[in-house]
Amino acid sequence: MLKLRVYRTLSDLPQSYVALFQKAGRHCVFQSLWWYECLLAETTDPGDQIIIYGVEESDPPHQARAILVARTQKGGFLSGLKPRRLAAFSNFYTIRAGPVLDPAFPDNREVLQVLAAGLLAERPAWDMIAFDYLDGESQAFKDIYAAFEAHGARLSAFARTDVWYEEIKTQGFAPYLEKRSGLIRKTLAWKNRKLDRDPAFQHRLSTGPEGLDEAIAAYEKVYAQSWKEPEFYPGFIPALIRRAAQHRALYLGTIFYGDEPLATQLSLKSGDILFQYKMAYDDSATKAPALRNLSLGALTIFRLLNHVLDHDHEVRAFDFGIGDEAYKAGWCSQRRSLYGMRVYHGASLYGRISYRAMRLRGWLSRLRRQMMGGS
């Protein structure tokens, strides 16, 4: 028999939950314990209340089947009336999110039914429950939706962002490169050879704890000199790099000219998928005559993929993460959507009003598009 239990911190979880995190984390790094430890430690906001829901077997005791790391959420429609909102813990550093499930369990539908029923039965009620960064093509997405719907909730699901990815069917960088456009296959390959001819250029790759302090310092120096805004949570990326290195999930490649770091690419290995997580290059350095027109940012991607596809035979796909930027289409040929889901409590006044307000906004948006199209 399955039941829902509530925990307040990750350290409170029984050992079977740690084992579930380990199982799920081998398939998806964003469902690992170390990912959540890092995310909660570095990006929890003042006033957040962390709640960890566990679905477990009664016999044997505490045999974990699902974990939902969540937090209370402020704002939104009717924020002045202070509705009770719960959100699966995610933010702009997240690439995949949702309940942590056992990938080997034969049928997670019953597990999600228990989770949905338990969340909707809590009192005082959650007026709205939010999920983001769900894989819309996964069975888990369909099962989460069906579970809440079966217990009387009103739902909305929407495409939140697109991600570009590439499945690797033939091992090695050369077969992959042959399928790319001329800009990458010829022009960028020529620029890569140009770097090889100049001994001042080096590409340094960090995958473990050795030399990690220097690698993080180089990453942060490049990022500070790039076009990108400063990190909202400045401690998160260094902490993520350290934890990824401890768990053999790190690929951090940096191009140097002499002792100066010029461009950097942070990637995370998740099972058989390589996630391109962060890329930056020094804007000012690209104006120097020796560096002009070298496409240093693209070259960090080129060199990292070259190494991974030739040497890490576990990698069978790579994912360019959140965002639909045009340059990603050059590296990938496949695209999928990540979805958000909003669960509105059918027995809650605020939940019903919020649901109707969401439907009204959608209707007005469609009407506006129709009127603009007809004008």
Side-chain angles (χ1 to χ4, degrees):
M1 182 178 176
L2 295 170
K3 63 180 181 180
L4 185 71
R5 287 195 63 181
V6 177
Y7 299 91
R8 293 300 173 184
T9 69
L10 292 171
S11 60
D12 291 339
L13 294 173
Q15 185 59 38
S16 72
Y17 284 89
V18 176
L20 176 54
F21 268 125
Q22 290 173 342
K23 272 189 191 178
R26 284 194 287 270
H27 290 262
C28 179
V29 70
F30 305 106
Q31 292 201 326
S32 66
L33 179 59
W34 67 263
W35 165 261
Y36 275 108
E37 288 174 338
C38 186
L39 194 66
L40 268 60
E42 300 295 338
T43 71
T44 299
D45 294 324
D48 278 353
Q49 180 186 0
I50 304 302
I51 308 174
I52 302 170
Y53 294 94
V55 177
E56 58 191 50
E57 300 275 2
S58 299
D59 184 24
H62 302 311
Q63 181 60 49
R65 295 303 180 196
I67 307 163
L68 178 64
V69 181
R71 61 176 163 183
T72 56
Q73 195 175 56
K74 299 177 182 178
F77 184 75
L78 297 176
S79 59
L81 299 177
K82 298 184 180 179
R84 282 173 49 83
R85 292 158 55 97
L86 183 75
F89 199 109
S90 65
N91 56 33
F92 40 80
Y93 290 117
T94 306
I95 295 182
R96 298 288 189 277
V100 177
L101 301 169
D102 184 346
F105 196 63
D107 188 357
N108 279 307
R109 287 177 295 181
E110 183 185 358
V111 174
L112 290 168
Q113 290 281 341
V114 172
L115 177 63
L119 291 176
L120 293 173
E122 286 203 307
R123 293 296 181 268
W126 297 111
D127 301 303
M128 194 269 281
I129 303 170
F131 296 91
D132 285 302
Y133 307 109
L134 299 171
D135 182 352
E137 297 179 8
S138 69
Q139 186 60 45
F141 176 84
K142 301 179 182 70
D143 291 343
I144 293 167
Y145 194 101
F148 281 102
E149 190 175 49
H151 290 280
R154 297 174 170 92
L155 293 101
S156 67
F158 52 93
R160 183 178 176 90
T161 185
D162 285 342
V163 295
W164 286 92
Y165 69 101
E166 183 78 7
E167 295 177 351
I168 305 301
K169 295 183 172 60
T170 305
Q171 194 63 48
F173 185 65
Y176 163 77
L177 191 61
E178 278 300 310
K179 297 177 181 177
R180 308 278 66 83
S181 68
L183 181 64
I184 293 175
R185 189 178 70 254
K186 296 180 180 178
T187 307
L188 202 57
W190 174 81
K191 291 180 180 182
N192 186 57
R193 291 192 294 272
K194 185 177 179 180
L195 258 65
D196 284 336
R197 291 193 294 268
D198 188 336
F201 282 105
Q202 297 179 57
H203 181 251
R204 301 177 190 172
L205 186 63
S206 296
T207 59
E210 303 80 11
L212 203 57
D213 289 342
E214 294 80 2
I216 291 173
Y219 171 92
E220 292 190 309
K221 185 173 183 179
V222 171
Y223 200 91
Q225 297 295 325
S226 76
W227 73 98
K228 296 193 170 185
E229 293 292 327
E231 295 287 356
F232 190 78
Y233 300 102
F236 177 74
I237 294 297
L240 176 65
I241 291 172
R242 294 185 190 282
R243 287 182 182 265
Q246 292 169 5
H247 292 274
R248 303 176 60 85
L250 177 68
Y251 277 105
L252 176 58
T254 305
I255 291 178
F256 286 77
Y257 189 70
D259 292 327
E260 286 299 310
L262 303 178
T264 188
Q265 169 70 48
L266 169 60
S267 297
L268 300 175
K269 184 179 175 183
S270 175
D272 60 358
I273 302 174
L274 185 74
F275 285 93
Q276 311 296 329
Y277 195 74
K278 288 269 189 176
M279 185 271 286
Y281 57 84
D282 185 336
D283 270 338
S284 60
T286 59
K287 297 176 179 136
L291 307 175
R292 192 176 296 129
N293 300 323
L294 278 180
S295 307
L296 290 171
L299 281 173
T300 62
I301 299 173
F302 186 97
R303 291 210 162 196
L304 192 140
L305 289 179
N306 191 343
H307 175 88
V308 170
L309 295 181
D310 279 346
H311 296 96
D312 190 338
H313 295 165
E314 293 179 351
V315 172
R316 305 306 302 167
F318 55 85
D319 184 309
F320 265 70
I322 302 298
D324 195 25
E325 295 90 338
Y327 81 90
K328 296 179 180 180
W331 299 97
C332 306
S333 60
Q334 297 159 286
R335 185 167 62 173
R336 64 160 59 96
S337 293
L338 297 182
Y339 277 74
M341 187 184 298
R342 300 294 179 264
V343 181
Y344 302 93
H345 203 302
S348 156
L349 174 62
Y350 293 152
R352 293 195 301 271
I353 294 174
S354 296
Y355 176 74
R356 289 169 184 166
M358 178 276 299
R359 295 289 301 270
L360 178 61
R361 287 196 300 271
W363 179 81
L364 290 173
S365 178
R366 289 190 296 273
L367 179 63
R368 185 164 54 250
R369 287 196 299 270
Q370 290 172 4
M371 292 176 66
M372 292 176 65
S375 59

